[in-house]
Amino acid sequence: MAPDALMQPPVIILLRPQMGENIGSSARAMKNCGISELRLVAPRDGWPNPLARPMAASGADILDNATVYDDIGSAMHDVVLAFATTARMRDLVKPTTDPRGAAEMSVAKPQSEGRRIAYLFGAERSGMDNDEAVMADYIVSADLNPDFPSLNLGQAVLMMSWEWRMAALRAQSLSDAALDDNWPERATIQERDFFFQRFESLLHDKGFFATKEMAPIVNRNMRAFFTRAEPTKQELQTWHGILSMLMKDS
Amino acid sequence: MAPDALMQPPVIILLRPQMGENIGSSARAMKNCGISELRLVAPRDGWPNPLARPMAASGADILDNATVYDDIGSAMHDVVLAFATTARMRDLVKPTTDPRGAAEMSVAKPQSEGRRIAYLFGAERSGMDNDEAVMADYIVSADLNPDFPSLNLGQAVLMMSWEWRMAALRAQSLSDAALDDNWPERATIQERDFFFQRFESLLHDKGFFATKEMAPIVNRNMRAFFTRAEPTKQELQTWHGILSMLMKDS
């Protein structure tokens, strides 16, 4: 998790947006959530659009700084991870996630100049076509009312922006927790593996396995059990002490 | 968790809404998320409002069925749990939660006729006043950009409706999972306690505790370790087999 997740918002890209009002309300939603970069691909009524500003409220600076592109490819020139928010596509096989999953993936990857993460939104009514959706790494599908799943464009931008913000806030608080001195120190995979080997030797040496076939199954189940408990270094030391005592005994 | 959480949406109450467009976009957001009941308290421009319908899209039926009240008290006549979405109130001490917390609380409580859950939204710009907020059980505060936390009314309704839907979907899937026959059968507390007693006897009998003071600390840490792994009945049986073998040995 990036410790400065809130400082690395994604880029919002609107494909062929039609109504200025919707571009404005998208900017407002972005501003509410701390996202600042807006890119427009071939806006129907040109740009700037006077209908956008009243809806943007304090997001007017986002409109002022919005950049306009002729096609989706140039709008994505520096994008390394893209999420396309759209209803499920026919005839297109793509990994799919939901808004919360997309947000979690977004905050898990650090961005940098020339390596951006983008959320793509299709045009009002017509949505995104297959040639556009194919440019994205993931299709984002929200589990909405099947009788009317179609969100207003500004609402779709708010939903994604809010999910991003919640994920970023959570990543920051986890990251703060990880820096906390009181966080118990987890054993490494290597340390766990060394412990398992000793544990398995003990079971073998003491003749626990009545049949040869039994060993791999019990060993696997015991590994799953110990792994689930997420042992700390301290706990594995205690376990090693127990193993040493039991081994000495035989 | 209610198994039919999705079938028990909250009531949406708009206090003194000003713009018909915002009432319409609230209805659309509700429809998208499967929420159907809209109540309006003293809408500024009367009701019905012709500006609402174009923004409502397929949520027009929600507008048709909306009910209008003169004051907040009568709009809440059958409400037993209310969440007021607003910026933090000065001079008002109320339990506060965030949209996700409000959604989780909402789906955890069954509703019935005459016992409804409501989300309250203040007027555009002026928001909710203290006399209105005091009627709610919880203040819902979203952690938005501190430079511009003010959501458009329709956006606020979408955010709460989406969080409710996600919580309801999750409650339903948890409830389905609980019914699943394949859910591994967890050991009871009693079964765990019996196992711990045998385990502790082994450590004691083998002379693991170098000092008297060491025993309660190690025992407590080991209980914490095993509890964290949430052992199944099957796993405890394997452990009992291991203990029996080790005990026989001495």
Side-chain angles (χ1 to χ4, degrees):
Chain A
M1 300 279 182
D4 52 353
L6 265 188
M7 303 307 290
Q8 305 213 343
V11 176
I12 301 295
I13 302 179
L14 306 185
L15 304 172
R16 300 170 284 105
Q18 298 174 1
M19 298 176 64
E21 294 88 337
N22 286 337
I23 302 172
S25 62
S26 297
R28 177 174 185 165
M30 290 167 64
K31 187 78 175 187
N32 289 146
C33 297
I35 299 178
S36 53
E37 190 172 345
L38 176 63
R39 300 181 186 176
L40 306 173
V41 176
R44 183 189 67 185
D45 300 333
W47 192 255
N49 183 330
L51 296 174
R53 189 163 290 260
M55 296 299 287
S58 289
D61 60 319
I62 294 175
L63 297 180
D64 293 337
N65 296 319
T67 48
V68 181
Y69 298 86
D70 291 334
D71 56 80
I72 184 174
S74 49
M76 289 176 71
H77 64 277
D78 58 352
V79 171
V80 292
L81 179 63
F83 296 90
T85 62
T86 179
R88 251 172 231 92
M89 310 298 290
R90 272 163 292 187
D91 314 321
L92 186 68
V93 181
K94 273 273 176 192
T96 300
T97 184
D98 71 350
R100 204 153 289 177
E104 275 160 21
M105 280 188 263
S106 307
V107 300
K109 308 245 190 273
Q111 293 177 70
S112 57
E113 182 100 20
R115 296 183 61 79
R116 304 299 306 278
I117 293 172
Y119 294 171
L120 305 177
F121 298 84
E124 294 97 331
R125 296 180 202 281
S126 61
M128 206 175 291
D129 64 35
N130 273 6
D131 290 338
E132 291 167 333
V134 82
M135 304 280 286
D137 299 283
Y138 288 89
I139 299 295
V140 182
S141 178
D143 192 347
L144 292 164
N145 179 358
D147 291 337
F148 184 55
S150 167
L151 291 168
N152 164 272
L153 177 55
Q155 303 275 43
V157 171
L158 175 77
M159 178 190 284
M160 291 298 296
S161 300
W162 166 246
E163 288 289 350
W164 169 78
R165 186 172 180 86
M166 286 295 280
L169 286 166
R170 184 161 176 278
Q172 295 216 154
S173 70
L174 285 177
S175 160
D176 291 347
L179 294 171
D180 188 337
D181 284 338
N182 293 324
W183 189 250
E185 210 186 345
R186 291 283 143 80
T188 65
I189 301 295
Q190 210 169 23
E191 288 163 342
R192 292 184 202 179
D193 191 55
F194 175 64
F195 166 74
F196 288 139
Q197 287 179 27
R198 285 192 81 205
F199 186 71
E200 288 161 8
S201 299
L202 173 74
L203 295 185
H204 178 268
D205 295 351
K206 295 276 182 182
F208 182 68
F209 303 117
T211 67
K212 220 177 169 181
E213 293 72 32
M214 201 178 149
I217 299 166
V218 170
N219 287 342
R220 191 172 55 238
N221 289 344
M222 281 288 133
R223 281 188 183 234
F225 178 85
F226 275 96
T227 303
R228 219 188 303 136
E230 299 187 352
T232 63
K233 287 180 194 297
Q234 176 63 51
E235 285 169 338
L236 281 195
Q237 271 175 25
T238 303
W239 275 108
H240 277 298
I242 294 172
L243 289 188
S244 297
M245 168 197 78
L246 294 169
M247 283 168 161
K248 186 180 60 188
D249 200 65
S250 59
Chain B
M1 299 279 183
D4 52 353
L6 264 187
M7 303 308 290
Q8 305 212 343
V11 175
I12 302 294
I13 302 180
L14 306 185
L15 304 173
R16 300 171 283 106
Q18 298 174 1
M19 298 177 64
E21 294 89 336
N22 287 337
I23 302 172
S25 62
S26 297
R28 178 174 183 165
M30 291 168 63
K31 187 78 175 188
N32 289 146
C33 296
I35 299 178
S36 54
E37 189 172 344
L38 176 63
R39 300 181 186 177
L40 306 173
V41 176
R44 184 189 66 185
D45 300 333
W47 194 255
N49 183 330
L51 296 173
R53 188 163 291 260
M55 296 299 288
S58 289
D61 61 319
I62 294 175
L63 298 179
D64 292 337
N65 296 320
T67 48
V68 181
Y69 298 86
D70 290 334
D71 57 79
I72 184 173
S74 49
M76 288 175 72
H77 62 278
D78 57 353
V79 171
V80 291
L81 179 62
F83 296 91
T85 63
T86 178
R88 250 171 232 95
M89 310 298 289
R90 270 162 295 186
D91 314 320
L92 185 68
V93 181
K94 273 271 176 194
T96 299
T97 184
D98 70 349
R100 205 154 288 175
E104 275 160 21
M105 281 188 263
S106 307
V107 300
K109 309 245 190 273
Q111 293 178 70
S112 57
E113 182 100 19
R115 295 184 62 79
R116 303 300 305 278
I117 293 172
Y119 294 170
L120 305 177
F121 299 84
E124 295 96 331
R125 297 181 202 279
S126 61
M128 205 175 290
D129 63 35
N130 274 6
D131 290 338
E132 291 167 333
V134 82
M135 304 280 287
D137 298 283
Y138 288 88
I139 299 295
V140 182
S141 177
D143 192 347
L144 292 164
N145 180 356
D147 292 337
F148 184 55
S150 166
L151 292 168
N152 164 272
L153 177 56
Q155 305 275 44
V157 172
L158 176 76
M159 178 190 284
M160 291 298 298
S161 301
W162 166 246
E163 289 289 349
W164 169 77
R165 186 172 180 86
M166 286 295 280
L169 287 165
R170 183 159 177 278
Q172 295 217 154
S173 72
L174 285 177
S175 158
D176 292 347
L179 295 171
D180 188 340
D181 284 338
N182 292 325
W183 189 253
E185 211 186 345
R186 291 283 145 79
T188 65
I189 301 296
Q190 208 168 25
E191 286 163 343
R192 291 184 202 180
D193 191 56
F194 175 63
F195 166 74
F196 287 139
Q197 287 179 26
R198 284 193 80 206
F199 186 71
E200 289 161 7
S201 299
L202 174 74
L203 295 185
H204 178 267
D205 295 350
K206 295 277 182 182
F208 182 68
F209 303 118
T211 66
K212 219 177 170 181
E213 294 71 33
M214 202 178 147
I217 299 166
V218 170
N219 287 342
R220 189 171 59 236
N221 290 344
M222 281 288 133
R223 280 186 185 236
F225 177 85
F226 274 96
T227 303
R228 218 187 305 135
E230 298 187 352
T232 63
K233 286 182 195 298
Q234 175 63 51
E235 285 170 337
L236 280 195
Q237 271 174 27
T238 302
W239 275 108
H240 276 298
I242 294 172
L243 289 188
S244 297
M245 168 197 78
L246 294 169
M247 284 169 162
K248 185 180 63 190
D249 199 62
S250 58

